[in-house]
Amino acid sequence: MIYFTKILKKEFLIYSRKSSSFIGPVVFFLISISLYPIGISNDPDILKNLAPGLIWITVLLSTLISFQNIFSEDYEDGSIELLLASGQNLSLIVLIKIFVNWVFSCLPIIILSVFSVFLLYLPLEGLKPLIISLLIGTPTICLFGALAGALSLGKNSITGPALMLPLSLPVLILGTQAINYSLNDINFSSNILLLTAILIFLLPIILFASVGALKLHFN
Amino acid sequence: MFQILKNFYHKLGSYPWFYKISGKVIPFVGVFSISLIVISSIWGLFFSPTDAVQGDVYRIIYFHVPAVSVSQVIYYSISVAAAVFLIWRMKMAGVYIKSLAPIGAAFTFIGLLSGAIWGQPTWGTWWVWDARLTSTLVLFLFYLAIIGMQSTFASRKSADTAVSIITLIGVVNLPIVKKSVDWWNTLHQPASISISGESSISSEMLIPLLLSILGVYLFVFFTGLLFMRAEISTREQNKEWFKKLSSNN
């Protein structure tokens, strides 16, 4: 147990000292959100309808910036190899890495998405489902990102995003639908429950698969 | 019975045995599948009756339905092979996945394309964000991810394992995608357009359709064997049995 708390601490230290890891996604998110009204229209009625989808897609795309970070640096300096050889529970280590990555790359975006509600004229009753669906949906996306990152380690190819984005489709659908439901006064709790179910269902599978994918690089 | 199956399974894992047997089977399957496709196409295009509602345009069904159905069957068969590869480390399963993925992608593309060509005169649009179309598109993207993953690993074994992992994650996720697309669709899509709108199909149209489906399945079997043989010969080109075989011919 002490081993894992130490890893958790180490990961937090690494991420907090490397500001680029969380500034990148945040800057990308803010820039894209402010580009939409310029590129599409500044008419509140148009933006209001598009806002749920735009915010969700932007969050999805900004995670693309950070998912390579989960394993790539540890791969380059060789510490992944040490972790693999340590004999400890690898799934748990991967889970810690994903969690810390989520805290530093997704949590700031979720907080910032409060402002995007005002920038894109999303009605205020959409704020609650937006935040809840992001809080529950982004961990699933981070899981897919970790799997894609583990598979495409050391290569700068399109394969990672090409794998991750189609997998994230259900989360995107359920997330935007939850917001649209609340705007139409429909109960959105079923969507949140489904998002939670997807997260719980995929968590063990993806952790297992990511560990398998990591081991592939050290045959 | 179980013993025979077990024997067959063990033999299937051997490259030389597969290479020998497939070489004998291929000509028959090839001739049979292509003649079936030709017969069913001629039957479907010229001799089956014109549809009362859609007119002659419905005849694209003889290409569309076989392609779409085979593309899904190939994905499920690939995921079974992926499980076999990850559990029993059967090399042949890796060959199977690598050879069948491009075929599956090609048929998914044919399905999407023929669907678009069919949709233009009947629905008045090339593309509808209908649930079934969207999940077929996602299937196509999964195929592309599988094919793209093949080239990112230097070692064959790692590439096969990586592809198997992706395939299994895909097959776990595919039902979720399908269901969620269904829910999404109900909010946005007017119910006036639906693929399953046709009433049950008459037997004069059904027989050539079944023939064409059978022909396409056999054609996939045929091309699958060809691709697998090609893949085996690239992987085993320096092995003794292969050299002996090629020096004999």
Side-chain angles (χ1 to χ4, degrees), chain B residues 85-242:
Chain B
F85 184 84
L86 288 178
I87 297 167
W88 291 291
R89 294 274 151 198
M90 185 176 171
K91 289 180 293 179
M92 191 60 84
V95 174
Y96 181 81
I97 299 172
K98 190 176 180 198
S99 317
L100 266 288
I103 303 175
F107 273 105
T108 320
F109 185 71
I110 293 174
L112 287 171
L113 195 69
S114 59
I117 295 169
W118 194 2
Q120 169 59 24
T122 48
W123 300 341
T125 169
W126 297 99
W127 184 261
V128 178
W129 285 102
D130 175 80
R132 278 165 106 173
L133 276 75
T134 313
S135 49
T136 310
L137 184 66
V138 174
L139 184 73
F140 185 59
L141 294 179
F142 277 140
Y143 272 124
L144 290 189
I146 291 172
I147 296 168
M149 207 33 122
Q150 297 280 2
S151 55
T152 51
F153 283 84
S155 114
R156 226 17 289 160
K157 203 183 155 201
S158 309
D160 283 345
T161 317
V163 168
S164 304
I165 292 173
I166 297 178
T167 313
L168 284 185
I169 295 291
V171 87
V172 165
N173 215 40
L174 217 51
I176 303 178
V177 170
K178 267 202 164 134
K179 259 317 355 132
S180 60
V181 167
D182 276 346
W183 294 319
W184 161 72
N185 187 48
T186 51
L187 188 72
H188 288 260
Q189 187 68 33
S192 57
I193 297 164
S194 108
I195 303 179
S196 52
E198 289 170 304
S199 54
S200 59
I201 188 166
S202 84
S203 66
E204 288 151 311
M205 297 175 182
L206 188 67
I207 295 165
L209 181 62
L210 288 178
L211 280 183
S212 69
I213 291 175
L214 185 67
V216 166
Y217 274 66
L218 281 174
F219 184 72
V220 167
F221 187 53
F222 167 60
T223 44
L225 286 180
L226 278 181
F227 277 41
M228 282 170 82
R229 276 167 72 85
E231 180 62 23
I232 287 173
S233 47
T234 49
R235 288 189 190 194
E236 300 278 290
Q237 53 186 335
N238 295 323
K239 294 283 167 61
E240 207 49 51
W241 70 267
F242 193 77

Side-chain angles (χ1 to χ4, degrees), chain A residues 52 56 129-130 133 170-180 191 195:
Chain A
W56 251 103
L130 174 73
S133 66
V171 179
L172 177 67
I173 290 172
L174 291 171
T176 47
Q177 205 183 38
I179 306 166
N180 282 327
N191 283 43
L195 278 175

Side-chain angles (χ1 to χ4, degrees), chain A residues 42-63:
Chain A
N42 57 1
D43 183 358
D45 284 334
I46 295 173
L47 281 175
K48 194 176 74 184
N49 292 327
L50 296 177
L54 287 179
I55 296 172
W56 251 103
I57 292 170
T58 315
V59 170
L60 198 62
L61 292 179
S62 34
T63 54

